[in-house]
Structures are given as structure tokens and as C-alpha cells.
């Protein structure tokens, strides 16, 4: 694949998924502007996440049934409309509706990933998927930082107005640059949705990778939910702007994507997965020290994001090889589990931190990481179930 096209797809993934994270650092400001409590304002995050999960379940399978370029462009145009509504929202309910729709349409990112996999030659598929997914991770990590900076310059409405403009520009560029991608499946929309469940029942490897993905995203969400409380607390006492900058430390994890992709292409996905999952408990040990040590905290963030990204790339390289004609439906099954794990991790982190502080949150994260490692070691004993020949 042309490197410029791969870069464009990576940018599309990152900017699309960023739509569901822009509101997170703005909650206090939005609450004051629209006259609601901070607890009510927190529902805006829930609205965007619920919308995204709904889009994963209901729209991403269409990537196998309709022409993908048209689907991606349409979703981006609708996301632009949703963000414009959010920017102009006169009341809380309108803003929540705008963010819900933006979340639904931001699943364009998850249509792009299987499309990139289908366009890539077999020998480069892991590398291409890894590069595109690194764009998605960068979008997740930078969304909070960019949102905070834009809000300081021109207020919270500017954030959503800029997001709307970016979606429009991307839609126009992709309409011209993307090749047509004909459907890979026939039948009805209802049949496509039912076939997602059939794939999950029929493919043990898919079920295993869904489980590992949910655990890794759960750990990722535990970190990024609890660390905000830690950094704003008594020991560090940082403000919102500085806290947002910690997302930059996680960008080092994006470097793992091409490395893991190349290992998968070379037939060493099992090794890459083992290294990544073994690194997760280590990262939580460093993060626990980060309660009082800034250096340990930063290194722990880098190691955790590096490991989560490696796990994600190997998982996706493996599941896309299962059913080439059903990559969008495979993506639906995997990513629904992945983001549900994130929602569970975020919710649990808030409750655990309130009860036991940073140490309890790190214990929770380490426990999730150890479950993931133990699960993988159990899966890897069965070559047919691990998705690779034995010995690799």
C-alpha cells in the first residue's frame, strides 16, 4: 500500500475516535455554562461512550454489506453534523444528544481498520494494521490535551466547532483518495447482524481475543481514570492543563504498533503477545510507585500503553485472518468487547479509588493484568485455539 494512503487512514482513525474523548476535560466548564451539576455533566461522557458502542454493534457490520468508502464518508459527514449541534447546543439535553450521535458516527474508525487490512498484501497486513491503529491510539491520547488547549483559547464550544470542521475536511479528502471497496457479503442487514453472533459462537480464537482485548482496555481505562484523581490530589496538586499533558507520555505506546505488526507478519505473534501481556503487571508495579515518584509514574504509563497497544495489534492481526470475507463483523464482535471492557474498567476505577486511593486502583489494575496473562498462557497451550502454529 502507498504510505501516504496508510498515513491518511491512520489520521482518519485518530480524528474519528477523538470525538468521544473531547468532552472529558471540559465537564466542569460545561456544567457551569449550562447550569447543571458536575454529576449530571458526567453523563456526557456516558452518552458518547454509549453512542460508540451502539455504532460498533449496529453500523460497523455494514462494512461487509455496503461499499466501504461511501459508508466511511457518510459517517464522517454525520459526525460533522453532530459536532456542529454540540457546538451550538443551547441546553444540556441538546449537547448530550449531539455527543450521542457523534459517538455513533465515530465508528467510522472501525470501518477504516478492516478496510486497511483488506487492502494490504498478506506479508504487510500486520504492519499496516499496526500503523493505522497507532493513529487511533494517538487520537485517544491527544484528544484530551487538544480539547483543553482549544477551550482555553476560545471556550468549550470552539472544541466541537473545530471537530466538525475536521470531519468535513476528512470526508472530502477520503471521497477523493480512497478506492472503492465493494461489499464482501450478501444478504440482509438483519442477517448480517445475526451472523456476528454466529461468528462468535463458531470461532474460539475470536472469543479468546475478545476476552484479552476487554481485559487490556479495562486496564487502560483504570489507569487513565484513576491517574486524574492522583495528579489533582494532595501530593501532586496539578491543574487540568498539566494533567492533560500526561497523555503525551502515553504516545510512546504508539511505537509498539509497527513493531508488533512486523512480528505478527513474520509469524511471531505468539511471542509479541506474551511479551506485551507479561509487561502489563510490571507496568502496574511501576505505577504503584508513582503515587510518590513522578519518574516511576511516567515510566509506568509508557510501559502500560506500550503493552496495551502490542496486545491490540496482535489480536487484530489474528482475528482478521480468521474470516477475510467478514472482517467488519469480526471487528464488531472484538471492538464491542474491547470498549465494554473499557467502560467496566473506568467505572470500577472510580469506585475503587474513592474507597482505597491510588494503591487500591493499582491493585485492581494489576489483578486485571494477571488475569489476562494467565488466560493467554492457558490459550497458548492449545495451538489450534491460539490462532498460530505451535512454536511461534
Amino acid at each position: 500500500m502507498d504510505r501516504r494512503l496508510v498515513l491518511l487512514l491512520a489520521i482518519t482513525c485518530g480524528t474519528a475516535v477523538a470525538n468521544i474523548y473531547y468532552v472529558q476535560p471540559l465537564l466542569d466548564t460545561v456544567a457551569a455554562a449550562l447550569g447543571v451539576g458536575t454529576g449530571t455533566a458526567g453523563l456526557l461522557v456516558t452518552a458518547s461512550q454509549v453512542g460508540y458502542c451502539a455504532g460498533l454493534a449496529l453500523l460497523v457490520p455494514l462494512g461487509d454489506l455496503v461499499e466501504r468508502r461511501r459508508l466511511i464518508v457518510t459517517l464522517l459527514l454525520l459526525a460533522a453534523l453532530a459536532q456542529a449541534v454540540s457546538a451550538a447546543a443551547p441546553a444540556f439535553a441538546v449537547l448530550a444528544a449531539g455527543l450521542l450521535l457523534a459517538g455513533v458516527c465515530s465508528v467510522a474508525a472501525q470501518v477504516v481498520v478492516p478496510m486497511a487490512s483488506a487492502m494490504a498484501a498478506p506479508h504487510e497486513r500486520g504492519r499496516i494494521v499496526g500503523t493505522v491503529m497507532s493513529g487511533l491510539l494517538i487520537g485517544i491520547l491527544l484528544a484530551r490535551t487538544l480539547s483543553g488547549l482549544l477551550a482555553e483559547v476560545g471556550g468549550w464550544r470552539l472544541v466541537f466547532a473545530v471537530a466538525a470542521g475536521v470531519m468535513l475536511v476528512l470526508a472530502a479528502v477520503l471521497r477523493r483518495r480512497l478506492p472503492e471497496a465493494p461489499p464482501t457479503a450478501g444478504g440482509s442487514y438483519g442477517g448480517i447482524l445475526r451472523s456476528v453472533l454466529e461468528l462468535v459462537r463458531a470461532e474460539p480464537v475470536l472469543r479468546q481475543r475478545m476476552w484479552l482485548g476487554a481485559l487490556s482496555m479495562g486496564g487502560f481505562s483504570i489507569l487513565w481514570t484513576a491517574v486524574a484523581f492522583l495528579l489533582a490530589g494532595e501530593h501532586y496538586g496539578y491543574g487540568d492543563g498539566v494533567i492533560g499533558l500526561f497523555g503525551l507520555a502515553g504516545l510512546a505506546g504508539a511505537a509498539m504498533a509497527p513493531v508488533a505488526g512486523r512480528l505478527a507478519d513474520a509469524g511471531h505473534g505468539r511471542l509479541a503477545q506474551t511479551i506485551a501481556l507479561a509487561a502489563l503487571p510490571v507496568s502496574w508495579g511501576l505505577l504503584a510507585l508513582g503515587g510518590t515518584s513522578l519518574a516511576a509514574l511516567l515510566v509506568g504509563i509508557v510501559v502500560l500503553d506500550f503493552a496495551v497497544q502490542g496486545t491490540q495489534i496482535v489480536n487484530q492481526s489474528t482475528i482478521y485472518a480468521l474470516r477475510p470475507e467478514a472482517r467488519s463483523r469480526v471487528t464488531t464482535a472484538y471492538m464491542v468487547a474491547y470498549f465494554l471492557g473499557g467502560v467496566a474498567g473506568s467505572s470500577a476505577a472510580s469506585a475503587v479509588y474513592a474507597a482505597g486511593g491510588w494503591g487500591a486502583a493499582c491493585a485492581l489494575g494489576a489483578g486485571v493484568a494477571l488475569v489476562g496473562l494467565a488466560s493467554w498462557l492457558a490459550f497458548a497451550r492449545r495451538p489450534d485455539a491460539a490462532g498460530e502454529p505451535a512454536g511461534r
Side-chain angles (χ1 to χ4, degrees):
M1 286 180 63
D2 184 281
R3 290 184 178 180
R4 292 171 297 181
L5 180 57
V6 176
L7 177 61
L8 176 60
L9 295 176
I11 292 172
T12 301
C13 275
T15 52
V17 79
N19 284 324
I20 66 175
Y21 294 97
Y22 287 135
V23 74
Q24 290 187 355
L26 308 177
L27 294 178
D28 286 339
T29 304
V30 170
L34 299 181
V36 300
T38 54
T40 302
L43 295 175
L44 296 174
V45 177
T46 302
S48 61
Q49 291 178 335
V50 167
Y52 197 77
C53 287
L56 287 170
L58 301 176
L59 296 181
V60 172
L62 286 173
D64 292 332
L65 191 62
V66 303
E67 201 275 310
R68 282 177 179 155
R69 181 181 67 177
R70 183 184 308 163
L71 177 60
I72 292 168
V73 170
T74 300
L75 288 173
L76 293 178
L77 290 174
L78 290 173
L81 174 62
Q83 294 291 41
V85 169
S86 299
F92 177 83
V94 178
L95 178 57
L99 293 177
L100 177 70
L101 179 59
V104 171
C105 298
S106 295
V107 297
Q110 303 303 335
V111 181
V112 167
V113 177
M115 182 178 184
S117 175
M119 293 168 62
H123 70 277
E124 63 177 2
R125 182 166 293 126
R127 177 176 59 83
I128 297 299
V129 170
T131 302
V132 172
M133 284 300 298
S134 69
L136 187 142
L137 178 64
I138 290 170
I140 291 174
L141 293 171
L142 284 186
R144 302 172 182 89
T145 303
L146 295 176
S147 177
L149 293 175
L150 284 172
E152 287 188 8
V153 171
W156 66 270
R157 294 183 186 274
L158 177 64
V159 176
F160 302 115
V162 169
V166 171
M167 292 296 99
L168 285 175
V169 171
L170 265 180
V173 172
L174 292 172
R175 181 68 182 81
R176 296 187 62 182
R177 290 294 312 278
L178 280 184
E180 289 190 5
T184 57
S188 66
Y189 174 63
I192 285 288
L193 293 183
R194 287 191 296 272
S195 70
V196 174
L197 298 177
E198 293 168 1
L199 282 171
V200 173
R201 285 196 296 266
E203 296 289 351
V205 172
L206 176 58
R207 295 194 299 272
Q208 292 161 12
R209 302 303 170 131
M210 288 168 65
W211 173 243
L212 294 175
L215 291 172
S216 67
M217 185 58 176
F220 183 89
S221 295
I222 290 169
L223 167 64
W224 289 107
T225 299
V227 78
F229 300 129
L230 172 69
L231 295 174
E234 182 178 350
H235 183 77
Y236 290 105
Y238 294 146
D240 291 342
V242 176
I243 292 173
L245 293 176
F246 273 74
L248 300 177
L251 292 179
M256 181 60 179
V259 175
R262 288 188 177 93
L263 284 171
D265 288 339
H268 302 297
R270 181 190 295 267
L271 173 63
Q273 188 76 291
T274 302
I275 292 172
L277 289 171
L280 283 174
V282 175
S283 73
W284 282 108
L286 292 167
L287 289 167
L289 298 175
T292 55
S293 168
L294 181 60
L297 182 65
L298 289 171
V299 174
I301 289 173
V302 170
V303 174
L304 184 139
D305 284 355
F306 190 83
V308 168
Q309 183 71 345
T311 297
Q312 173 78 337
I313 298 311
V314 176
N315 281 344
Q316 290 188 289
S317 294
T318 301
I319 63 175
Y320 287 153
L322 296 174
R323 299 283 186 95
E325 78 287 355
R327 288 193 174 106
S328 289
R329 284 165 285 167
V330 167
T331 298
T332 292
Y334 178 79
M335 295 308 298
V336 166
Y338 187 76
F339 277 93
L340 286 177
V343 171
S346 180
S347 301
S350 298
V352 168
Y353 192 95
W358 179 247
C362 289
L364 173 64
V368 171
L370 288 171
V371 170
L373 178 60
S375 298
W376 167 246
L377 293 177
F379 297 154
R381 293 193 187 100
R382 298 172 295 181
D384 59 324
E388 297 179 12
R392 287 190 174 181

